[in-house]
Each structure stands twice: as C-alpha cells, then as structure tokens.
Amino acid sequence: MKWYLSLVLAAILTNNFVLSKFLGICPFLGVSKQLKTASGMGIAVTFVMLMATAVTFPINKYLLEQFNLEYLQTIVFILVIAALVQLIEIALKKYMPPLYNALGIYLPLITTNCAVLGVVVLNVEEGYNFAGALANTFGAGIGFLLAMVMFAGVRERMESSDIPERLKGLPITLVAASLTSMSFLGFTGVVEGMLG
Amino acid sequence: MNPILLAVIIVGATGLILGLGLAIASIIMAVPVDEKEVAIREELPGANCGACGFSGCDAYAAALSKGETQKTNLCVPGGEDVSKKIAEITGLEAGEVIPQAAVVLCRGSYGNCEPKLQYSGVKSCAMAQQLFGGPKSCSYGCIGFGDCVNACPYEAIKICDGVARIDPTICRACGMCISTCPKNLIELMPLGVSKAAVLCKNIEKGAQTRKQCKTGCIGCMKCTKVCEYGAVTVENNVAHVDYEKCVGCGKCGEACPVKSISLINLKAK
C-alpha cells in the first residue's frame, strides 16, 4: 500500500509530467489561460490516461511481448490511444452530453497528447505491475491537473500586471513556466523522505 | 514466421479491429442531430454575442428548432436577412427587425473635459473607474481606455480624442459594449432616422457640471420647454429623450446652450 502511495505522490510532485519531464507542454501553454479550461483539460487528460493505461497494459503484455515485438510499442500505443479517445468521445456524446460539452474541444486534442503516450510507455519501461501502472498513471494525471491549475492562476495574475511590451504574450508565459518548473525542483527527495 | 511480416500483420490487424470497432460504435451510439438546428446555426452570424437572450448562437438555434421560442427576430446583429432565412427554415412567421446601432452618450473629448489626475495604472476603464471615478474631471463621462473597443466583436469602436466613437455602418447592435462600460454610457438607437439624443450623463447640478465639462448637460430645462411633443424630460439635472415620441425636429438642439443635446442620424450601411 505504501508503495502505491509513494508512486502516486512521486508522479505528482517529484516526477511531475509537465514540470519535471516536460511532457504535454502544448496544452500546458495552450489552454492554461483560464482556470475553468485548465481544470477541464486536466480532468480530461487524467481520465484518458487511466483508460489508455488500462487498455495498453494488457496489449503490451499479452500481444507484443508474446511475439517479441516490444519495438512496436510506440506505434501500437498511438493507434490504441487515438481509437480510444474517439470511442470515449462517441460514448460521452451519447450517454453523458453535459460532460461531453464540458470537455468540448479538449477531448480530441488529447488524441495526440504526448503526456498520454509518455505515461503508458514509461509504465512499461519501469516494469510496473498492472496496479502499479494504474497508480503511476493516476499520479501523472493529477500532477498534470495540478500543473495546469497552478499555471492558470499564474497566468490570470499576469493578465493584470504591467509587462514590458516586448515580453507580452508567449515570452513572459515561457519565463513564468520555467520559474514554476524550477519551484517543483524543491520537491526532490520529499516523497522518499516522507515514506522512506 | 518472418518477423517483419508478423509485425505488419499485428499492427494491421490492431488497426483494422479498432477501426471496425469505432465504425460500429459510431452507428450504435449515433446521436440524432436536428437538421433544422444545423441549418439555422449556419444562418446565424456566429459572434455568440448573446443579444438574442440565449447563451450563444448554438443555444438560440437549438431553442428555435425545438420550438422553445417562436421569435425569429431575436438576432440583432443578423437583422432582417437572418430573420427571414430562419423563418424560411422553420416555417414560422418572420418578425420585423428595427435596425439599431450603439451610440456613446458623451462628448467629453480632451478639449471639452480636462483631466483631474494623472493616471498611470492599467489602461482599462474598469480599473481606472475605481480610482476617483476615472482620470477625467467629469466622473460620469467616457474614460476612453477602450474596454468597449476590446469587447466589440466587429471592431466598430474607436477611441477618438479620448472618447469612444462607434461607427454605425459597422455596428451590429449586439450590445456587447453596453455591459462593459463602467459608466453605462452606451445605448442602442434606431438606424436611419433623425432622433435627438442627450450626449451627457452628468447628474451634478448645472454649475458643477459647467466646471467639469464644456458640453455637459446643466439641466436648464430649455429643451423640455421647446419640445412640442413632450419627448424631452429633465431628471436628476440631466435631460432624457424618449425616442418613441421624438420626431427629430431639432428644436431642442437649437435651444441647448451647451450643445449637449443634438440630432443624430445614424446612417445604415
């Protein structure tokens, strides 16, 4: 149990996907302008990550590893994730229209999100068991959500601050992103220290 | 078995199965889409301004197609054309649309209204408003930082000499600017007809208004006396025009000592 907890916490804080591994930077910069869209995107990514892990883990174990085809992981995972996102979109549109409307454009955007592909590939590389992979994925998704929401707060404050003309827009956003990322370096060793 | 062939078969088969699965899913879980709604949505301008009273063009189209509203004339930016097209699609009777345009009711440009303080904060009317009601000596007039300019989806508003001016040929009367003005200076007026308008909202007493702005309404009642139709009233030291009663004779404008009331004829495109 302790191991799972440390997996989740490590994925949120020390190995944060956006701020430490630099995966999923595109949505991190693209949809973090408002708190509402940022949290929507974060929740959608967490959801898709969990579904993707649940599907790709058995495919890797019972299909690719059986035939020694591990080198096909990337292409097969992309295929599966893309199809999965489409399926989720169709199903949500039919059975949960409010959630579909809330996720809106973000759901199709996730199809090619590298954070989702990154987490499933890393799960395989680290050699976790199924529950461990899910725990790591859950942590990664929550970490992504945390980074998005935090950064949305930073950006909302930047809207009303006096920024030099040349730095307005993307330049100041990148500066702020690097500072946020550095602040997460402070978590190094925290999880190991806490849970031994 | 040849490893290359095996790889091709496995990836190909995975793709095929997933593709077929998606195809089946899209048939089983297809959501019926109302064709009427799509057709109406395409006729609407798509600015999502909310002038119709719904949350956006999508919501208005949905309400029309489901029969929640019978009014085809609610889209102000679309005007008569859109009203007719919606009526054709839905089979409802086309409502009449009175073309309107927004007007900024202030003439306090830099020559007329002097600044009372040096403002160096964020260039936003809403922000400046919090600091003694804005940098101009009249705290009822246009601040001129252009919150309305940013709100306008049609780029019809410009700041000229410190006061917002709306080009009636571009304005579609969506009303987005009206709610952003912290001074409530923007109103909709009918297009293509002459109407008298009071270009001031200063409710201070006459002497005080005079000090603040050269063209501020001083509430002298001259306009009410000359108006033969009872269209002009003075309330709280500032004149108001009832556009329904006003016939556009222009007598009030001639009588006004500060020229804060004048005839406006907004030209349609």
Side-chain angles (χ1 to χ4, degrees), chain B residues 193-228:
Chain B
V193 282
S194 289
K195 296 280 177 192
V198 183
L199 298 172
C200 182
K201 291 242 174 177
N202 192 319
I203 56 168
E204 301 279 352
K205 284 197 175 129
Q208 192 67 27
T209 308
R210 270 249 158 105
K211 278 183 206 158
Q212 291 171 348
C213 179
K214 280 180 193 165
T215 61
C217 175
I218 51 175
C220 65
M221 316 280 283
K222 275 184 183 160
C223 44
T224 26
K225 281 167 200 154
V226 294
C227 185
E228 291 162 20

PDB file of all heavy atoms in Angstrom, chain B residues 193-228:
ATOM      1  N   VAL B 193     -32.995  57.105 -38.999  1.00  0.00           N
ATOM      2  CA  VAL B 193     -33.960  58.162 -38.737  1.00  0.00           C
ATOM      3  C   VAL B 193     -33.316  59.205 -37.829  1.00  0.00           C
ATOM      4  O   VAL B 193     -32.444  58.876 -37.040  1.00  0.00           O
ATOM      5  CB  VAL B 193     -35.243  57.625 -38.059  1.00  0.00           C
ATOM      6  CG1 VAL B 193     -36.154  56.964 -39.067  1.00  0.00           C
ATOM      7  CG2 VAL B 193     -34.901  56.678 -36.937  1.00  0.00           C
ATOM      8  N   SER B 194     -33.749  60.462 -37.966  1.00  0.00           N
ATOM      9  CA  SER B 194     -33.192  61.511 -37.117  1.00  0.00           C
ATOM     10  C   SER B 194     -33.870  61.490 -35.763  1.00  0.00           C
ATOM     11  O   SER B 194     -35.094  61.505 -35.665  1.00  0.00           O
ATOM     12  CB  SER B 194     -33.413  62.880 -37.762  1.00  0.00           C
ATOM     13  OG  SER B 194     -32.577  63.009 -38.877  1.00  0.00           O
ATOM     14  N   LYS B 195     -33.067  61.421 -34.715  1.00  0.00           N
ATOM     15  CA  LYS B 195     -33.606  61.471 -33.355  1.00  0.00           C
ATOM     16  C   LYS B 195     -32.706  62.382 -32.538  1.00  0.00           C
ATOM     17  O   LYS B 195     -31.492  62.415 -32.748  1.00  0.00           O
ATOM     18  CB  LYS B 195     -33.600  60.082 -32.708  1.00  0.00           C
ATOM     19  CG  LYS B 195     -34.497  59.064 -33.379  1.00  0.00           C
ATOM     20  CD  LYS B 195     -35.938  59.229 -32.965  1.00  0.00           C
ATOM     21  CE  LYS B 195     -36.810  58.233 -33.734  1.00  0.00           C
ATOM     22  NZ  LYS B 195     -38.224  58.519 -33.594  1.00  0.00           N
ATOM     23  N   ALA B 196     -33.302  63.094 -31.598  1.00  0.00           N
ATOM     24  CA  ALA B 196     -32.483  63.899 -30.703  1.00  0.00           C
ATOM     25  C   ALA B 196     -31.890  62.983 -29.648  1.00  0.00           C
ATOM     26  O   ALA B 196     -32.527  62.036 -29.213  1.00  0.00           O
ATOM     27  CB  ALA B 196     -33.331  64.972 -30.038  1.00  0.00           C
ATOM     28  N   ALA B 197     -30.624  63.253 -29.270  1.00  0.00           N
ATOM     29  CA  ALA B 197     -30.005  62.446 -28.231  1.00  0.00           C
ATOM     30  C   ALA B 197     -29.255  63.348 -27.285  1.00  0.00           C
ATOM     31  O   ALA B 197     -28.644  64.332 -27.701  1.00  0.00           O
ATOM     32  CB  ALA B 197     -29.055  61.431 -28.850  1.00  0.00           C
ATOM     33  N   VAL B 198     -29.323  63.031 -25.988  1.00  0.00           N
ATOM     34  CA  VAL B 198     -28.582  63.797 -24.992  1.00  0.00           C
ATOM     35  C   VAL B 198     -27.227  63.126 -24.815  1.00  0.00           C
ATOM     36  O   VAL B 198     -27.129  62.002 -24.344  1.00  0.00           O
ATOM     37  CB  VAL B 198     -29.330  63.825 -23.647  1.00  0.00           C
ATOM     38  CG1 VAL B 198     -28.581  64.696 -22.663  1.00  0.00           C
ATOM     39  CG2 VAL B 198     -30.741  64.310 -23.845  1.00  0.00           C
ATOM     40  N   LEU B 199     -26.173  63.827 -25.244  1.00  0.00           N
ATOM     41  CA  LEU B 199     -24.846  63.218 -25.194  1.00  0.00           C
ATOM     42  C   LEU B 199     -24.161  63.559 -23.881  1.00  0.00           C
ATOM     43  O   LEU B 199     -23.056  64.106 -23.840  1.00  0.00           O
ATOM     44  CB  LEU B 199     -24.013  63.685 -26.387  1.00  0.00           C
ATOM     45  CG  LEU B 199     -24.611  63.277 -27.735  1.00  0.00           C
ATOM     46  CD1 LEU B 199     -23.871  63.924 -28.872  1.00  0.00           C
ATOM     47  CD2 LEU B 199     -24.613  61.772 -27.889  1.00  0.00           C
ATOM     48  N   CYS B 200     -24.843  63.296 -22.766  1.00  0.00           N
ATOM     49  CA  CYS B 200     -24.272  63.567 -21.457  1.00  0.00           C
ATOM     50  C   CYS B 200     -25.029  62.770 -20.416  1.00  0.00           C
ATOM     51  O   CYS B 200     -26.226  62.544 -20.543  1.00  0.00           O
ATOM     52  CB  CYS B 200     -24.353  65.060 -21.146  1.00  0.00           C
ATOM     53  SG  CYS B 200     -23.590  65.443 -19.557  1.00  0.00           S
ATOM     54  N   LYS B 201     -24.314  62.342 -19.382  1.00  0.00           N
ATOM     55  CA  LYS B 201     -24.963  61.622 -18.292  1.00  0.00           C
ATOM     56  C   LYS B 201     -24.601  62.206 -16.941  1.00  0.00           C
ATOM     57  O   LYS B 201     -24.704  61.548 -15.913  1.00  0.00           O
ATOM     58  CB  LYS B 201     -24.541  60.143 -18.336  1.00  0.00           C
ATOM     59  CG  LYS B 201     -25.098  59.369 -19.512  1.00  0.00           C
ATOM     60  CD  LYS B 201     -25.979  58.239 -19.043  1.00  0.00           C
ATOM     61  CE  LYS B 201     -26.642  57.563 -20.226  1.00  0.00           C
ATOM     62  NZ  LYS B 201     -27.442  56.430 -19.808  1.00  0.00           N
ATOM     63  N   ASN B 202     -24.108  63.452 -16.951  1.00  0.00           N
ATOM     64  CA  ASN B 202     -23.655  64.079 -15.714  1.00  0.00           C
ATOM     65  C   ASN B 202     -24.848  64.520 -14.880  1.00  0.00           C
ATOM     66  O   ASN B 202     -25.637  65.366 -15.303  1.00  0.00           O
ATOM     67  CB  ASN B 202     -22.773  65.291 -16.056  1.00  0.00           C
ATOM     68  CG  ASN B 202     -22.034  65.804 -14.849  1.00  0.00           C
ATOM     69  OD1 ASN B 202     -22.598  65.877 -13.763  1.00  0.00           O
ATOM     70  ND2 ASN B 202     -20.776  66.160 -15.045  1.00  0.00           N
ATOM     71  N   ILE B 203     -24.978  63.980 -13.659  1.00  0.00           N
ATOM     72  CA  ILE B 203     -26.141  64.314 -12.829  1.00  0.00           C
ATOM     73  C   ILE B 203     -25.822  65.382 -11.777  1.00  0.00           C
ATOM     74  O   ILE B 203     -26.631  65.638 -10.904  1.00  0.00           O
ATOM     75  CB  ILE B 203     -26.702  63.039 -12.129  1.00  0.00           C
ATOM     76  CG1 ILE B 203     -25.621  62.355 -11.302  1.00  0.00           C
ATOM     77  CG2 ILE B 203     -27.283  62.078 -13.128  1.00  0.00           C
ATOM     78  CD1 ILE B 203     -26.167  61.283 -10.380  1.00  0.00           C
ATOM     79  N   GLU B 204     -24.627  65.997 -11.882  1.00  0.00           N
ATOM     80  CA  GLU B 204     -24.322  67.087 -10.949  1.00  0.00           C
ATOM     81  C   GLU B 204     -25.189  68.300 -11.290  1.00  0.00           C
ATOM     82  O   GLU B 204     -25.744  68.408 -12.379  1.00  0.00           O
ATOM     83  CB  GLU B 204     -22.838  67.488 -11.081  1.00  0.00           C
ATOM     84  CG  GLU B 204     -21.853  66.379 -10.815  1.00  0.00           C
ATOM     85  CD  GLU B 204     -21.609  66.152  -9.336  1.00  0.00           C
ATOM     86  OE1 GLU B 204     -22.102  66.969  -8.520  1.00  0.00           O
ATOM     87  OE2 GLU B 204     -20.952  65.160  -8.997  1.00  0.00           O
ATOM     88  N   LYS B 205     -25.253  69.249 -10.357  1.00  0.00           N
ATOM     89  CA  LYS B 205     -26.014  70.465 -10.626  1.00  0.00           C
ATOM     90  C   LYS B 205     -25.298  71.293 -11.690  1.00  0.00           C
ATOM     91  O   LYS B 205     -24.084  71.134 -11.900  1.00  0.00           O
ATOM     92  CB  LYS B 205     -26.152  71.272  -9.341  1.00  0.00           C
ATOM     93  CG  LYS B 205     -27.188  70.652  -8.432  1.00  0.00           C
ATOM     94  CD  LYS B 205     -27.643  71.609  -7.365  1.00  0.00           C
ATOM     95  CE  LYS B 205     -28.772  70.969  -6.579  1.00  0.00           C
ATOM     96  NZ  LYS B 205     -28.560  71.005  -5.142  1.00  0.00           N
ATOM     97  N   GLY B 206     -26.045  72.173 -12.342  1.00  0.00           N
ATOM     98  CA  GLY B 206     -25.533  72.906 -13.501  1.00  0.00           C
ATOM     99  C   GLY B 206     -24.163  73.538 -13.321  1.00  0.00           C
ATOM    100  O   GLY B 206     -23.264  73.354 -14.132  1.00  0.00           O
ATOM    101  N   ALA B 207     -23.969  74.270 -12.215  1.00  0.00           N
ATOM    102  CA  ALA B 207     -22.709  74.996 -12.020  1.00  0.00           C
ATOM    103  C   ALA B 207     -21.538  74.014 -11.916  1.00  0.00           C
ATOM    104  O   ALA B 207     -20.464  74.232 -12.476  1.00  0.00           O
ATOM    105  CB  ALA B 207     -22.802  75.842 -10.752  1.00  0.00           C
ATOM    106  N   GLN B 208     -21.773  72.940 -11.203  1.00  0.00           N
ATOM    107  CA  GLN B 208     -20.739  71.928 -11.016  1.00  0.00           C
ATOM    108  C   GLN B 208     -20.400  71.270 -12.356  1.00  0.00           C
ATOM    109  O   GLN B 208     -19.237  71.091 -12.705  1.00  0.00           O
ATOM    110  CB  GLN B 208     -21.272  70.875 -10.024  1.00  0.00           C
ATOM    111  CG  GLN B 208     -20.239  69.908  -9.502  1.00  0.00           C
ATOM    112  CD  GLN B 208     -19.209  70.610  -8.625  1.00  0.00           C
ATOM    113  OE1 GLN B 208     -19.485  71.644  -8.012  1.00  0.00           O
ATOM    114  NE2 GLN B 208     -18.000  70.070  -8.613  1.00  0.00           N
ATOM    115  N   THR B 209     -21.446  70.947 -13.149  1.00  0.00           N
ATOM    116  CA  THR B 209     -21.235  70.328 -14.457  1.00  0.00           C
ATOM    117  C   THR B 209     -20.405  71.242 -15.348  1.00  0.00           C
ATOM    118  O   THR B 209     -19.493  70.805 -16.036  1.00  0.00           O
ATOM    119  CB  THR B 209     -22.590  70.040 -15.130  1.00  0.00           C
ATOM    120  OG1 THR B 209     -23.402  69.323 -14.223  1.00  0.00           O
ATOM    121  CG2 THR B 209     -22.408  69.238 -16.405  1.00  0.00           C
ATOM    122  N   ARG B 210     -20.730  72.522 -15.309  1.00  0.00           N
ATOM    123  CA  ARG B 210     -20.008  73.502 -16.132  1.00  0.00           C
ATOM    124  C   ARG B 210     -18.513  73.462 -15.876  1.00  0.00           C
ATOM    125  O   ARG B 210     -17.696  73.560 -16.788  1.00  0.00           O
ATOM    126  CB  ARG B 210     -20.512  74.924 -15.809  1.00  0.00           C
ATOM    127  CG  ARG B 210     -21.659  75.339 -16.663  1.00  0.00           C
ATOM    128  CD  ARG B 210     -21.197  76.445 -17.597  1.00  0.00           C
ATOM    129  NE  ARG B 210     -22.068  76.529 -18.757  1.00  0.00           N
ATOM    130  CZ  ARG B 210     -22.964  77.491 -18.917  1.00  0.00           C
ATOM    131  NH1 ARG B 210     -23.101  78.435 -18.028  1.00  0.00           N
ATOM    132  NH2 ARG B 210     -23.713  77.507 -19.993  1.00  0.00           N
ATOM    133  N   LYS B 211     -18.158  73.323 -14.571  1.00  0.00           N
ATOM    134  CA  LYS B 211     -16.739  73.295 -14.209  1.00  0.00           C
ATOM    135  C   LYS B 211     -16.074  72.041 -14.774  1.00  0.00           C
ATOM    136  O   LYS B 211     -14.892  72.051 -15.087  1.00  0.00           O
ATOM    137  CB  LYS B 211     -16.586  73.284 -12.681  1.00  0.00           C
ATOM    138  CG  LYS B 211     -16.696  74.650 -12.064  1.00  0.00           C
ATOM    139  CD  LYS B 211     -16.470  74.543 -10.565  1.00  0.00           C
ATOM    140  CE  LYS B 211     -17.167  75.678  -9.854  1.00  0.00           C
ATOM    141  NZ  LYS B 211     -17.435  75.367  -8.459  1.00  0.00           N
ATOM    142  N   GLN B 212     -16.841  70.963 -14.856  1.00  0.00           N
ATOM    143  CA  GLN B 212     -16.229  69.687 -15.236  1.00  0.00           C
ATOM    144  C   GLN B 212     -16.105  69.506 -16.741  1.00  0.00           C
ATOM    145  O   GLN B 212     -15.151  68.925 -17.222  1.00  0.00           O
ATOM    146  CB  GLN B 212     -17.064  68.533 -14.650  1.00  0.00           C
ATOM    147  CG  GLN B 212     -16.968  68.469 -13.138  1.00  0.00           C
ATOM    148  CD  GLN B 212     -17.937  67.487 -12.536  1.00  0.00           C
ATOM    149  OE1 GLN B 212     -18.834  66.998 -13.213  1.00  0.00           O
ATOM    150  NE2 GLN B 212     -17.759  67.206 -11.261  1.00  0.00           N
ATOM    151  N   CYS B 213     -17.099  70.020 -17.498  1.00  0.00           N
ATOM    152  CA  CYS B 213     -17.086  69.751 -18.935  1.00  0.00           C
ATOM    153  C   CYS B 213     -17.791  70.864 -19.679  1.00  0.00           C
ATOM    154  O   CYS B 213     -18.827  71.359 -19.242  1.00  0.00           O
ATOM    155  CB  CYS B 213     -17.783  68.411 -19.215  1.00  0.00           C
ATOM    156  SG  CYS B 213     -17.849  67.986 -20.956  1.00  0.00           S
ATOM    157  N   LYS B 214     -17.214  71.260 -20.811  1.00  0.00           N
ATOM    158  CA  LYS B 214     -17.792  72.362 -21.577  1.00  0.00           C
ATOM    159  C   LYS B 214     -19.123  71.990 -22.208  1.00  0.00           C
ATOM    160  O   LYS B 214     -19.959  72.836 -22.481  1.00  0.00           O
ATOM    161  CB  LYS B 214     -16.817  72.785 -22.683  1.00  0.00           C
ATOM    162  CG  LYS B 214     -15.700  73.679 -22.185  1.00  0.00           C
ATOM    163  CD  LYS B 214     -14.799  74.044 -23.344  1.00  0.00           C
ATOM    164  CE  LYS B 214     -13.509  74.668 -22.841  1.00  0.00           C
ATOM    165  NZ  LYS B 214     -12.489  74.698 -23.875  1.00  0.00           N
ATOM    166  N   THR B 215     -19.327  70.721 -22.520  1.00  0.00           N
ATOM    167  CA  THR B 215     -20.569  70.331 -23.201  1.00  0.00           C
ATOM    168  C   THR B 215     -21.451  69.453 -22.321  1.00  0.00           C
ATOM    169  O   THR B 215     -22.248  68.681 -22.817  1.00  0.00           O
ATOM    170  CB  THR B 215     -20.270  69.580 -24.509  1.00  0.00           C
ATOM    171  OG1 THR B 215     -19.538  68.402 -24.178  1.00  0.00           O
ATOM    172  CG2 THR B 215     -19.484  70.405 -25.477  1.00  0.00           C
ATOM    173  N   GLY B 216     -21.283  69.553 -21.013  1.00  0.00           N
ATOM    174  CA  GLY B 216     -22.121  68.747 -20.124  1.00  0.00           C
ATOM    175  C   GLY B 216     -23.509  69.330 -19.982  1.00  0.00           C
ATOM    176  O   GLY B 216     -23.692  70.549 -19.981  1.00  0.00           O
ATOM    177  N   CYS B 217     -24.505  68.471 -19.824  1.00  0.00           N
ATOM    178  CA  CYS B 217     -25.881  68.928 -19.653  1.00  0.00           C
ATOM    179  C   CYS B 217     -26.038  69.563 -18.283  1.00  0.00           C
ATOM    180  O   CYS B 217     -25.738  68.948 -17.259  1.00  0.00           O
ATOM    181  CB  CYS B 217     -26.855  67.755 -19.792  1.00  0.00           C
ATOM    182  SG  CYS B 217     -28.562  68.222 -19.460  1.00  0.00           S
ATOM    183  N   ILE B 218     -26.511  70.826 -18.261  1.00  0.00           N
ATOM    184  CA  ILE B 218     -26.608  71.549 -17.000  1.00  0.00           C
ATOM    185  C   ILE B 218     -28.027  71.502 -16.443  1.00  0.00           C
ATOM    186  O   ILE B 218     -28.317  72.095 -15.410  1.00  0.00           O
ATOM    187  CB  ILE B 218     -26.149  73.017 -17.171  1.00  0.00           C
ATOM    188  CG1 ILE B 218     -26.879  73.659 -18.358  1.00  0.00           C
ATOM    189  CG2 ILE B 218     -24.645  73.078 -17.386  1.00  0.00           C
ATOM    190  CD1 ILE B 218     -26.578  75.126 -18.532  1.00  0.00           C
ATOM    191  N   GLY B 219     -28.911  70.828 -17.134  1.00  0.00           N
ATOM    192  CA  GLY B 219     -30.269  70.673 -16.620  1.00  0.00           C
ATOM    193  C   GLY B 219     -31.051  71.961 -16.589  1.00  0.00           C
ATOM    194  O   GLY B 219     -31.814  72.216 -15.669  1.00  0.00           O
ATOM    195  N   CYS B 220     -30.879  72.811 -17.644  1.00  0.00           N
ATOM    196  CA  CYS B 220     -31.522  74.127 -17.638  1.00  0.00           C
ATOM    197  C   CYS B 220     -32.982  74.075 -18.063  1.00  0.00           C
ATOM    198  O   CYS B 220     -33.683  75.076 -17.979  1.00  0.00           O
ATOM    199  CB  CYS B 220     -30.747  75.080 -18.538  1.00  0.00           C
ATOM    200  SG  CYS B 220     -30.796  74.589 -20.281  1.00  0.00           S
ATOM    201  N   MET B 221     -33.477  72.945 -18.544  1.00  0.00           N
ATOM    202  CA  MET B 221     -34.866  72.719 -18.948  1.00  0.00           C
ATOM    203  C   MET B 221     -35.263  73.419 -20.245  1.00  0.00           C
ATOM    204  O   MET B 221     -36.428  73.373 -20.614  1.00  0.00           O
ATOM    205  CB  MET B 221     -35.871  73.163 -17.852  1.00  0.00           C
ATOM    206  CG  MET B 221     -35.517  72.760 -16.454  1.00  0.00           C
ATOM    207  SD  MET B 221     -35.952  71.070 -16.124  1.00  0.00           S
ATOM    208  CE  MET B 221     -37.710  71.189 -15.897  1.00  0.00           C
ATOM    209  N   LYS B 222     -34.320  74.070 -20.938  1.00  0.00           N
ATOM    210  CA  LYS B 222     -34.711  74.774 -22.168  1.00  0.00           C
ATOM    211  C   LYS B 222     -35.243  73.797 -23.204  1.00  0.00           C
ATOM    212  O   LYS B 222     -36.196  74.077 -23.919  1.00  0.00           O
ATOM    213  CB  LYS B 222     -33.510  75.533 -22.737  1.00  0.00           C
ATOM    214  CG  LYS B 222     -33.359  76.906 -22.094  1.00  0.00           C
ATOM    215  CD  LYS B 222     -32.244  77.698 -22.722  1.00  0.00           C
ATOM    216  CE  LYS B 222     -32.084  79.019 -21.997  1.00  0.00           C
ATOM    217  NZ  LYS B 222     -30.771  79.621 -22.213  1.00  0.00           N
ATOM    218  N   CYS B 223     -34.624  72.631 -23.282  1.00  0.00           N
ATOM    219  CA  CYS B 223     -35.043  71.643 -24.278  1.00  0.00           C
ATOM    220  C   CYS B 223     -36.460  71.150 -24.000  1.00  0.00           C
ATOM    221  O   CYS B 223     -37.254  70.941 -24.919  1.00  0.00           O
ATOM    222  CB  CYS B 223     -34.052  70.488 -24.324  1.00  0.00           C
ATOM    223  SG  CYS B 223     -33.536  69.894 -22.715  1.00  0.00           S
ATOM    224  N   THR B 224     -36.805  70.955 -22.703  1.00  0.00           N
ATOM    225  CA  THR B 224     -38.152  70.481 -22.379  1.00  0.00           C
ATOM    226  C   THR B 224     -39.195  71.497 -22.792  1.00  0.00           C
ATOM    227  O   THR B 224     -40.287  71.150 -23.226  1.00  0.00           O
ATOM    228  CB  THR B 224     -38.306  70.246 -20.863  1.00  0.00           C
ATOM    229  OG1 THR B 224     -37.393  71.064 -20.191  1.00  0.00           O
ATOM    230  CG2 THR B 224     -38.089  68.823 -20.500  1.00  0.00           C
ATOM    231  N   LYS B 225     -38.829  72.779 -22.657  1.00  0.00           N
ATOM    232  CA  LYS B 225     -39.807  73.832 -22.971  1.00  0.00           C
ATOM    233  C   LYS B 225     -40.059  73.940 -24.467  1.00  0.00           C
ATOM    234  O   LYS B 225     -41.187  74.161 -24.892  1.00  0.00           O
ATOM    235  CB  LYS B 225     -39.313  75.171 -22.423  1.00  0.00           C
ATOM    236  CG  LYS B 225     -39.578  75.288 -20.930  1.00  0.00           C
ATOM    237  CD  LYS B 225     -38.827  76.455 -20.328  1.00  0.00           C
ATOM    238  CE  LYS B 225     -38.695  76.281 -18.827  1.00  0.00           C
ATOM    239  NZ  LYS B 225     -37.533  76.987 -18.289  1.00  0.00           N
ATOM    240  N   VAL B 226     -38.993  73.780 -25.284  1.00  0.00           N
ATOM    241  CA  VAL B 226     -39.214  73.959 -26.723  1.00  0.00           C
ATOM    242  C   VAL B 226     -39.795  72.710 -27.387  1.00  0.00           C
ATOM    243  O   VAL B 226     -40.345  72.789 -28.471  1.00  0.00           O
ATOM    244  CB  VAL B 226     -37.921  74.360 -27.477  1.00  0.00           C
ATOM    245  CG1 VAL B 226     -37.449  75.731 -27.039  1.00  0.00           C
ATOM    246  CG2 VAL B 226     -36.848  73.316 -27.316  1.00  0.00           C
ATOM    247  N   CYS B 227     -39.687  71.570 -26.744  1.00  0.00           N
ATOM    248  CA  CYS B 227     -40.168  70.340 -27.399  1.00  0.00           C
ATOM    249  C   CYS B 227     -41.689  70.315 -27.430  1.00  0.00           C
ATOM    250  O   CYS B 227     -42.350  70.393 -26.384  1.00  0.00           O
ATOM    251  CB  CYS B 227     -39.647  69.103 -26.683  1.00  0.00           C
ATOM    252  SG  CYS B 227     -40.102  67.585 -27.555  1.00  0.00           S
ATOM    253  N   GLU B 228     -42.257  70.220 -28.649  1.00  0.00           N
ATOM    254  CA  GLU B 228     -43.718  70.261 -28.798  1.00  0.00           C
ATOM    255  C   GLU B 228     -44.346  68.893 -28.567  1.00  0.00           C
ATOM    256  O   GLU B 228     -45.549  68.747 -28.507  1.00  0.00           O
ATOM    257  CB  GLU B 228     -44.079  70.745 -30.210  1.00  0.00           C
ATOM    258  CG  GLU B 228     -43.728  72.202 -30.434  1.00  0.00           C
ATOM    259  CD  GLU B 228     -43.674  72.543 -31.915  1.00  0.00           C
ATOM    260  OE1 GLU B 228     -44.266  71.790 -32.713  1.00  0.00           O
ATOM    261  OE2 GLU B 228     -43.026  73.553 -32.246  1.00  0.00           O
TER     262      GLU B 228
END
